[in-house]
Amino acid sequence: MHPLLLGILQKAPEIITIARQLADGVKAGRKTAEVAERVAALEKNEVQQAELVKEMAKQINDMSALIRVLSGRLTICLACAVGALVLAAAAVYHLYAR
């Protein structure tokens, strides 16, 4: 038998007990306000998470733009370094060519 199915079957008595407790709470109407409060809290949490994801996406977009700028600057630095190396090699050549 599949391990997941075995786990469910082993927890069946506990699941039934909790289901009965929930059913009793719903029948008595005692948990309605608590459920509404929890749903409101969950909705508020979802809004906060959406704002967080939106802010993270903005930050990632900003970082991508900065990385592109940094890449361009590194290319310029590399070109300058190669140019300096060529000039230094030419200077050394002219110095020892005499």
Side-chain angles (χ1 to χ4, degrees):
M1 191 175 279
H2 195 273
L4 183 61
L5 186 57
L6 285 174
I8 291 173
L9 289 177
Q10 288 174 349
K11 294 287 185 176
E14 186 179 336
I15 293 170
I16 292 171
T17 303
I18 293 171
R20 285 185 181 150
Q21 289 173 354
L22 288 173
D24 290 343
V26 170
K27 287 178 187 175
R30 295 177 294 192
K31 304 249 179 187
T32 306
E34 182 181 332
V35 169
E37 185 178 314
R38 284 184 173 183
V39 168
L42 287 172
E43 288 174 348
K44 181 179 177 184
N45 188 28
E46 288 293 321
V47 170
Q48 290 173 343
Q49 287 180 2
E51 287 296 321
L52 179 61
V53 169
K54 182 179 175 182
E55 182 64 26
M56 288 171 60
K58 182 183 178 299
Q59 289 177 359
I60 289 172
N61 188 34
D62 292 345
M63 283 180 56
S64 297
L66 290 174
I67 289 172
R68 283 191 294 274
V69 169
L70 181 61
S71 174
R73 289 180 181 175
L74 284 174
T75 302
I76 291 169
C77 286
L78 181 61
C80 289
V82 168
L85 182 62
V86 168
L87 288 175
V92 168
Y93 175 76
H94 285 298
L95 182 66
Y96 288 110
R98 293 184 180 179

